[in-house]
Amino acid sequence: MQLLRLITINRVLIRHGLDEVIFAIHLLRPIRFLFYLAPWNWFRRVRASRGERIRRTLEDLGPIFIKFGQMLSTRRDLLPDDIAKELARLQDRVPPFPDAQAFAIIERALGKPISEVFLAFDKTPLASASIAQVYAAVLHSGEPVVVKVVRPDILPVIRRDLQLMYIMAQLAERYWSEGPRLRPVEVVAEYEKTILDELDLMREAANATQIKRNFSGSSILYIPTIYWDYTRRQVMVMERIHGVPVADMQALSAVGADLKLLSERGVEIFFTQVFRHNFFHADMHPGNIFIDIDIPEDPTYIAVDFGIVGTLTGADRRYLAENFHAFFNRDYRRVAELHVESGWVPADTRTEQLESAIRSVCEPIFQRPLKDISFGQLLLRLFQTARRYDMQVQPQLVLLQKTLLNIEGLGRDLYPDLDLWKTAKPFIERWIDEQVGLRAMIRGAKYGLPVFLEKLPQMPGLMHEIMLHEAKGRTRRDISAPQLEALRQEIIRAQQRSSLTVLAATLFICATLLLLFAENLPGYLGIPYAAAGMVALAGLLLLMALWRRG
């Protein structure tokens, strides 16, 4: 099966005149003469442009390859213009599948004829993408909507290509010197999860609802409403939005949209989703982003297609934020230390050498606008640095890296003079302050102390139960009589302290809440800040005294 797929891929390359790509590979250059001996190259023929041939090849190879082309289309700095323009067509102009198949899927999923669900239904698709295509419709209640339908029989095609990718990844990991460090099998596994999730429109609808809730009341990002009554695994009905595609620079400029503000808001949306919400749209190519230009000087982003979202662990978020913060402050020593602490490089890495390498990569681009930064060269040098210090690829960060590429591509098109460092630095500093400052301590007390207080009365009983188990020999540890007596005395002291501890912690929590919300209390409940502070201090001192005695 995989051999047949490889043959198919080669046949598609030959059909679109891309067989020279294969012979351009370094290892195959010695036998490049075979390219000219191939029968299909004996006669000259008029060929389409190279960009069009690449696009058609990816379309014929299927959804996984189309997704790859979509990502590349956002990197104008890495591709020639003719190729980038053609690949941009993959974002929403993939050849559609037959309408009759789409209608049958809709009716089967909803259990009703289309006419019973929709007052009007446009039978020409609005857009066709690699995974699904979209139709315009109107509900009987009058709301204009779009109906998204998953392509029929797409799962077997995706699984087939995933199997091929696994084979290639396993070979790379086994026979390529860089394989163990790049962890290609884990990267493919991460991608498998992502693309299979895209096939479940119920999951996509839930993602959209979550992001909409996260940005409730926001003036910078709008998320369409999901109509859950008409949403199934293969069909999703969503509010129809109207906006200008973010890539249509001519239309945005014609209405006088504030492109600088728009690019800054794009950065704010990204950092808000990643660090504050920990739930980010991970497929932000231009085909999924529109601009509401009703008020050109105050433009709003509109996002669609939420099949791919990303999250990070608390540790990864903290390390990323601290890396950004150290980078913005040119503290390359801290960047190197964070790479060691996080386990991204081996523990025996010499920090001063890694610091020097990172400085040589980052310093040339610091505080430059987007138009003066060659991210292609930056990524190449970072890759070389990673190889030198055995830096492993982090599969859980692949989606974030992909999203960063999309965001950077959008920013480059919208406002090349954007000072990315100046825009992002205040946000990172504010987030770090929220995580480690006074507000973080109060938030930790708010969520942690109630749990601690709930468990505190049970602790003496739990300790007594442990002592009984120990006394009866139910554990393998050998505890002597003096040790058991010491435990018994400790339990007695803990019981005596428990009520005082509860009282002290309660005083501290109440005083803290009074300090936070004193301004909102009715006049007759007004409590001076000094009094509340004294209560808090008394509770804190009592807790410290009890803990010291313990």
Side-chain angles (χ1 to χ4, degrees), residues 404-425:
L404 276 170
L405 292 179
N406 287 337
I407 292 294
E408 186 271 321
L410 290 175
R412 185 182 297 277
D413 289 339
L414 282 173
Y415 191 73
D417 290 319
L418 175 69
D419 189 337
L420 182 62
W421 327 120
K422 182 179 178 180
T423 304
K425 183 179 177 181

Side-chain angles (χ1 to χ4, degrees), residues 15 21 185 213 236 300 323 350 374 403 467 518 532 537 550:
R15 182 166 69 245
V21 172
V185 174
R213 184 161 53 247
M236 182 177 71
T300 301
N323 266 286
R350 294 187 61 179
S374 174
T403 306
M467 186 188 71
L537 181 59

Side-chain angles (χ1 to χ4, degrees), residues 198-225:
E198 278 197 87
L199 301 181
D200 185 353
L201 296 186
M202 290 289 288
R203 181 185 294 270
E204 178 178 342
N207 293 340
T209 302
Q210 180 64 53
I211 297 177
K212 185 178 182 69
R213 184 161 53 247
N214 289 344
F215 283 90
S216 176
S218 171
S219 61
I220 64 174
L221 177 64
Y222 182 79
I223 307 297
T225 300

Side-chain angles (χ1 to χ4, degrees), residues 289-338:
I289 307 296
F290 299 85
I291 306 299
D292 182 350
I293 55 173
D294 289 345
I295 307 177
E297 63 274 12
D298 188 25
T300 301
Y301 281 92
I302 306 172
V304 298
D305 195 349
F306 306 93
I308 305 177
V309 297
T311 59
L312 299 173
T313 67
D316 282 334
R317 276 197 301 163
R318 187 179 74 255
Y319 279 120
L320 282 171
E322 291 186 13
N323 266 286
F324 276 124
H325 186 257
F327 174 72
F328 291 147
N329 289 295
R330 299 188 179 186
D331 187 356
Y332 303 117
R333 175 75 176 189
R334 182 58 183 155
V335 173
E337 290 173 348
L338 287 166

Side-chain angles (χ1 to χ4, degrees), residues 1-8 164:
M1 179 64 74
Q2 301 307 322
L3 178 60
L4 291 176
R5 181 56 173 163
L6 286 171
I7 294 174
T8 300
L164 182 60

